[in-house]
Amino acid sequence: MSLPKQFLKSFIPLFFGKESAENVQKRHQLYESIWLQQRKRMENIVSSAYDGLLSSLESYIGEPLLGDQKLAVAFALLGTNTANNLRILNELSLRLESGTAIHLRVITLNSKNSANIKSALREINRQLLAQKTKNDDNDETDTMFGDKEGRIAHDFEIARDWCLDYMNQEGASDMATTKLRLLLIIQDADSLNTQVLNQIINVLHIYTGSIPVKLVLGLSSNKVRDWINTSISALLRLSIKGTKFKSQDNKQLAYRILESLFLDPENENPLLLDSRLAAVILNRFERANNSLDSLMSEIKLCYMIHFYQLPLSILTDANFAPTSQYISSLRRLPSFKLHIEHLVKQFKENQQDTKAEIEDLLDSDEKLNLLLDTSRKELQEYHKQLIQAVKLLQTCHLHLPQKHLNLYWYKVLLGGDIFNCVSYKELLTHLGSLSEYEAKTLLAKLSLEDEFEDDVSGLSSALDARDLVNDYIKKHEFQRPLHSRTFYEVWTLSGGFSERDLIESPHVEENLENAMLRLLRPKLRRSLEEALDNSSIYLGDNKNDEGSPIATHLFNVYRDAPVSINVYDFYCAFKQSVPKDSLLQAMKSQLHESPVKNEELFKAIETIEHNDEAWEKASFSWFLHTCHEFVLLGLLKERSKVDFFEKGIWIGL
Amino acid sequence: MPSSNTDDKTPLFRENELQFLKTFVNEDHNLLAPVLLVHGNKSVGKTFLVKFFLDTIATNKTIIRCDECVTKKLLLQRCLKNIRLDSGVDLQNYKQQYQNKGREEARFGALCDTFAGFLDILEQFFTETNYAHRHVLVLDRFDQCMEKSDELFTSFLRMVERRALQNLTVIIITSGAVPNEIATLTVPVIYFKPYSESQVVQILQLHQLCHFQGMEETGTFWAQYCKIVVDLYYSYTGCNLSLLMDICVKLWDNFTLPIREGRYTPQDFFQVYRDRRHLFTDDYVVDVPLENDDDESESLLANISDLPYHSKFILIASYLASFVDPRSDINSFSKLKSRRVKKAKTSLGQLRKGMQSKEDIDSRLLNAAFFDLERLLAILRVIYRNESDSINIPTIDLANLYEDELERIMKEREKEQDLFSLNSNVELNSQIATLVSLGLLGRTSSADILSSKARWKCNISWTIVSSLADDVNFPIQNYLVE
């Protein structure tokens, strides 16, 4: 596989740079192939998910025009996520452009390029004449570039004449015979000014007799009738003929993607999903950002982090023979330590004589290799059983009122909490109370699956069904969490960690943190404040407070200040807080140490030290300078005219 | 009322108006009215009659639909262009050198910046081609031009002052009253009276819009049908013919269904009417007909149910911020119980006078108040910490854990409850932005959203927010009670 160079660059040799280039390349190839496979699965789902909507829209556009002087308007009911909506409509225009059945010109308008009717019409003309350069807002003087008569840019007759020309060339005599379709897509009809929207519809309606135009409105609302009644004027409502198109539920789609990626037995995905990461992904999607694109990029990021950060990820490839470098790093894994501890405990309790085994594992690379192989097989087996168990639980779950997602069970099983889980208890009770008929249907359903066929045979009562589930879970030791399985780290996506996580306190539920999440939503404000408060994180250890930058001093004053700060008071407080002597001493000593001798600066500091006026000047200039920096950071705002600063809006809530 | 004119093509009940038109648009230049105002209600046949009249006399005419002109400049350009085209002058041979502000102008789009410029070029055209034929310029729907065009009234009036344009008549059609600009000037005005109910019925009866496919039909069914429609809806539509026609066409298919099914014949109008009577009281009459409109189960939450969990909380917080008095924030949202509320009781005297202070009214009945973003975020923090299901997992879920484990988790959870704030979540801002673009949150227009001047407000109603609160299990009543 030939690889683009810039990708190789991002894969740096790990093991503190000691990883061989060959292995880096290999790691990269592994990443590419595994991710490619997963990506294809996702793309298949996503592209097929909107097939129904898109093809019905497509055939709607291909339909003959309405003869009765009404404007054909399609209302595409999309979700509340604007990114998703945009993608669906973009896909629509891509599909339409690649289609050949009808001659189609797609024009896309959105609330940004149509702030008023003039700019909307200009945009239509521009896109129709495929004019690359964008007109600025100076519209009174500009004429349409590319129009032979040099008409004004928002003259809709340009578009009409273009259509008439096209129909002439095509040889079509009138609207009924032409294959041309002019399709206007308004991407965010909700955000578009209603007046502009009405004007656009009005203009299009006037020309419906002479040009073959159809309109598609992307709505983020499901209540189309209400929307029409509030947004389109009564008279215009008479002149349109609406058709409703419903899109698929976006949330279900995301679950389908996750299931297909991680819970499909046919998917040859060698990597497990850490239970914490599963929670992070699920929470983020349900709570904070319901965009499919960001879900997909998150998953990509997880794979990237796994292969970028973990040198051992190369072991995903079963044919790779680990060198001693890899072996020694395997020995440092927590799960290996746990394994050894387990053996030591057994030895101590004289249950088994494991001394030789322990020594072998610690000394002999071959033995460790063997252990690696067995644990690989075990994990693969575990992975399969896990997926089966999720399936089993999900099948048994059909009659319960509260239905959990597959990924929820996956999370619980991985964490080893299954026997402590309330939902599981509920499930078992529920199974026990099934009627005979229900139990039979359930068991019959299970017997259709190859994996459960043997277990199910001969069972008939509800209690049998309950025991079946419980036995299955017990048999495959799901009470043992993933984290206790040897070398699980190699085959598990964890979303990575950043070093700061190790320092900070543990989190539960909402505050789950890992590198993936940190990369997606850095805590900008907090980092800024922490850095300003304690400069040593970035500047290295300063022995005393005095040597810290001016900004730190000002920030300390800023923190205690009220929302609006009088500039003079601010300055006075700042001047008070700066320790003059020690600061100047620190500056001087730094100048001494620096290789470049700057005599002038040294003299300047001397003057500041002895001359009070110079000190005032210097401190005031520092003050102004730092204030300006704070303004740039967004911590402060300048009020015009008044001598006040205002604190930035995000007071540390 | 029988019509005096039996000719099918002549508009009905407009004989007087037609006579007026004949008088004012005369062959003789000296008798020709330079500007003529035609006004009357919408859809009473103004444009139709003017077009009909112009077709009957031999004249050059130009008809401009003003509602498709975005700006005045475009309107004037259209006039100029179409007058040139409709004049019959051979434009292949005659090439006009446009003079714009004393300079020659090649681009058409640069012309007609002002009305004077328009007149100059028009005059130039008339004189250079010796154009003396009678020409009528019709400005249809003049009041519906997208840019305010009132001053054009007077401008067109002044057009007579140009000698070269003596043979041009402008007919301005508007649907409003006589505009103030020209009320004091001597402009001939033709007023189109609204049709009476019986006139509307007659007009509709004469124009059969819908037919039975492949069935022998008599005019009586349509006539009766029109009568019924007008009887029922005249008070709603007035004499607006296009609205009535729309209703006729919209209901026809459903109304005649029993006939197409063969249950009745077109002679049995009253049986059909009795059968289909419910149609006339249905919402359908005023609604927009939508195709593919299968599921009508649009719940209250339909358009916001797929919002992410946090967004729902933001919406609830915004509702609280808009409808809870900032002064009672400390009672509603703080753990402090110590502060006592001094409830200002309205004195009896005040009540007798019918004076109520703002506090006496249920805040839900008041307008949504604007609030600062910080207040929203602060409220969000409190309500999310108190009510969100992820932080407040019921302890029964933990009952199965071992004791030390339980203790640890309880500790952690407590700590998190104290520390946790949604505000560190960067996605919060994008969610707020999305809510604004969906129109669920409103804000005072300001370029800088972080400036203290930008104020926000909740844009959803109580019904929506209460169903939203049910959806996320949020006891919103607890926070609204005084």
Side-chain angles (χ1 to χ4, degrees), chain A residues 13 33-34 42 47 69-70 87 174 182 185 193 223 291 413 420 443 575 580 624 634 646 652:
Chain A
S33 62
I34 292 177
M42 284 203 284
S47 63
Q69 286 292 312
K70 287 205 174 193
R87 184 165 41 74
D174 62 348
L182 198 64
I185 299 179
N193 186 334
K223 298 164 91 177
S291 154
L413 286 168
N420 293 328
L443 288 169
K575 207 171 63 176
K580 179 183 170 188
L624 285 182
E646 195 180 298

Side-chain angles (χ1 to χ4, degrees), chain A residues 588-589 591-592 598-607:
Chain A
K588 273 203 271 187
S589 63
L591 270 181
H592 274 301
N598 193 336
E599 286 299 324
E600 252 178 76
L601 195 59
F602 197 79
K603 267 180 202 159
I605 292 172
E606 293 263 279
T607 12

Side-chain angles (χ1 to χ4, degrees), chain B residues 330-338 382 385-386 417-418:
Chain B
I330 197 143
N331 296 310
S332 308
F333 303 112
S334 155
K335 282 181 186 168
L336 297 174
K337 295 265 187 259
S338 57
V382 172
R385 195 179 55 203
N386 290 354
Q417 281 182 358
D418 287 344

Side-chain angles (χ1 to χ4, degrees), chain A residues 14-61:
Chain A
L14 296 173
F15 288 131
F16 300 102
K18 284 178 192 151
E19 197 182 17
S20 72
E22 195 185 330
N23 289 349
V24 175
Q25 168 94 1
K26 180 122 184 111
R27 207 151 45 86
H28 181 246
Q29 278 174 3
L30 271 173
Y31 161 70
E32 288 275 314
S33 62
I34 292 177
W35 170 243
L36 188 75
Q37 186 203 344
Q38 296 286 64
R39 199 186 71 192
K40 271 189 186 155
R41 283 184 89 87
M42 284 203 284
E43 280 173 353
N44 273 339
I45 294 176
V46 172
S47 63
S48 64
Y50 296 110
D51 252 359
L53 173 74
L54 293 182
S55 53
S56 58
L57 268 172
E58 213 172 356
S59 59
Y60 167 78
I61 290 152

Side-chain angles (χ1 to χ4, degrees), chain A residues 250-269:
Chain A
N250 164 35
K251 214 168 199 169
Q252 293 306 323
L253 196 62
Y255 298 144
R256 256 178 63 199
I257 289 180
L258 289 174
E259 275 167 29
S260 149
L261 290 191
F262 298 108
L263 295 171
D264 188 355
E266 285 160 26
N267 185 8
E268 287 176 12
N269 167 31

